[in-house]
Every structure is written in structure tokens, then in C-alpha cells.
Amino acid sequence: MSVFEIILISIGLAMDAFGVSIGKGLSMTVGENGRKVTLAFLFGLFQFLMPIIGWLIGRQFIDVISEWDHWIIFGLLGYLGIAMIREGLSDDDDDEENDKQFLGAWEMIMLSVATSLDAMAVGLTFAFLPINVWEASTMIGVITFGISLIGVYLGKFMGQFVGKYADILGGGVLIFIGTKILLQHLGIIGEF
């Protein structure tokens, strides 16, 4: 997997955190810089940790399922991508009420875990690829931190509708990467 592909995956994974950051940024005042940076940091930290956890789990089963690893990667990334697109297309505004409430440390941690579960599934796919999981996870965490920080600061100006489009874009990227890996493994397309 190339650095460019890891960057694309990082951006795709960061879209959930970006959408939540925009939503939470709507309810934070201008003077809450500490909480804004803390939220972005926690998103980045959990996006860094979860792929490593997924990779560790996947390494336990690599010998058993190595023949079907490309199908597993395709299935996991495809499922995550479709879920993100469905979430982006959803008219469900349950988060609107939560955006108006105080954002405490426990809520920040819970949001960080919730937005990083897909990163654990991606980490599981890393177990079947020739990849340095530490470098990839660091890249995912740093990119998520940066994108989340931008989202939380732009939240007041961009509005919640951007979060839905971010999920759709992120889901599309994950589906694209999963399909590319499958087609390369099947020999339908070459490396690019």
C-alpha cells in the first residue's frame, strides 16, 4: 500500500470525526480553544490507537484466512464505506439536540471511541497487507487531528450540512480503496 493510499484512507477515516467536530464547533464559543484542541487531539489519539488494536487482532488470524484476505479487506472497507454514505444521506438529526449541550471530558472520550471504531476495522485489514502499522496509524492520527481541528473551528461558519457530505466523501474513498485492493489481488488491475 502506497503512502498516497494511506493518506486517502486517513482522510476517509477522519470524515466521521470531521462531521462531529463541525457539529460540536457549532455549540462551542469563541473562547473555548482548550476544549476545541482537546477534542481534536482525542479524535486523533483514538484514530491512532484503533488501527493498532485491529492490526493486533488480525495478526492472530493471518495464517487461517490469508487466502481470503483480499475479500475480507474489500468487505470491511466496503461495509464501512456504505455505512458512512448511508449516514451522510440520512435525514436523522438526533445529534442536533446534543450539539447544544456542554461537551465534557467523558463525552469527548465517548465521541472519540465512536468515531474511531471504523479505524479498528481498517487496522484489521492492515494485518493482511505489507504495511508498517505504526507509520500508517501515526499518519491516520495526525491527519484526523488536523482535520478535526479545522472542523471544530469552522463549525460556526460551515453549518451541520457539511458533515453529511464529508461522510459521503469518506465512504466513497473507503469503497474505492477496498475495490482497488481486491482488483489488484485478483490480477484485474496492476499497481498504481
Side-chain angles (χ1 to χ4, degrees):
M1 183 173 286
S2 70
V3 171
F4 180 70
E5 289 173 319
I6 295 170
I7 291 171
L8 283 179
I9 287 175
S10 300
I11 292 169
L13 289 174
M15 290 298 107
D16 274 348
F18 180 67
V20 172
S21 295
I22 289 172
K24 292 304 176 182
L26 287 168
S27 64
M28 291 182 178
T29 62
V30 174
E32 294 183 281
N33 291 329
R35 286 196 316 145
K36 291 176 182 177
V37 173
T38 300
L39 181 63
F41 173 78
L42 288 173
F43 281 157
L45 177 66
F46 278 87
Q47 289 279 29
F48 163 76
L49 293 174
M50 290 299 203
I52 293 170
I53 293 169
W55 178 80
L56 289 170
I57 293 168
R59 296 301 293 172
Q60 303 301 312
F61 302 103
I62 196 164
D63 292 333
V64 177
I65 54 178
S66 62
E67 286 185 42
W68 303 288
D69 60 353
H70 52 287
W71 289 103
I72 293 168
I73 293 167
F74 173 72
L76 284 173
L77 292 181
Y79 173 78
L80 292 171
I82 290 169
M84 286 177 72
I85 290 169
R86 287 183 68 194
E87 185 177 321
L89 295 174
S90 166
D91 288 333
D92 192 11
D93 290 333
D94 290 342
D95 293 333
E96 219 171 272
E97 190 175 304
N98 292 337
D99 290 339
K100 308 285 186 242
Q101 298 173 354
F102 175 74
L103 184 62
W106 181 248
E107 185 182 0
M108 285 187 205
I109 291 171
M110 295 309 296
L111 286 171
S112 299
V113 170
T115 59
S116 65
L117 290 176
D118 52 352
M120 185 167 67
V122 169
L124 181 66
T125 68
F126 286 170
F128 307 107
L129 297 170
I131 191 169
N132 182 325
V133 72
W134 297 101
E135 289 176 6
S137 295
T138 300
M139 194 175 301
I140 290 168
V142 169
I143 288 173
T144 299
F145 169 74
I147 288 174
S148 298
L149 194 60
I150 290 168
V152 79
Y153 275 101
L154 293 179
K156 287 283 187 205
F157 307 107
M158 297 177 72
Q160 283 185 297
F161 71 93
V162 176
K164 293 192 177 289
Y165 294 114
D167 282 342
I168 293 167
L169 177 64
V173 167
L174 293 181
I175 291 170
F176 172 76
I177 296 292
T179 303
K180 179 185 166 293
I181 289 170
L182 175 66
L183 295 176
Q184 284 176 333
H185 191 83
L186 294 175
I188 296 172
I189 62 172
E191 295 283 331
F192 59 86

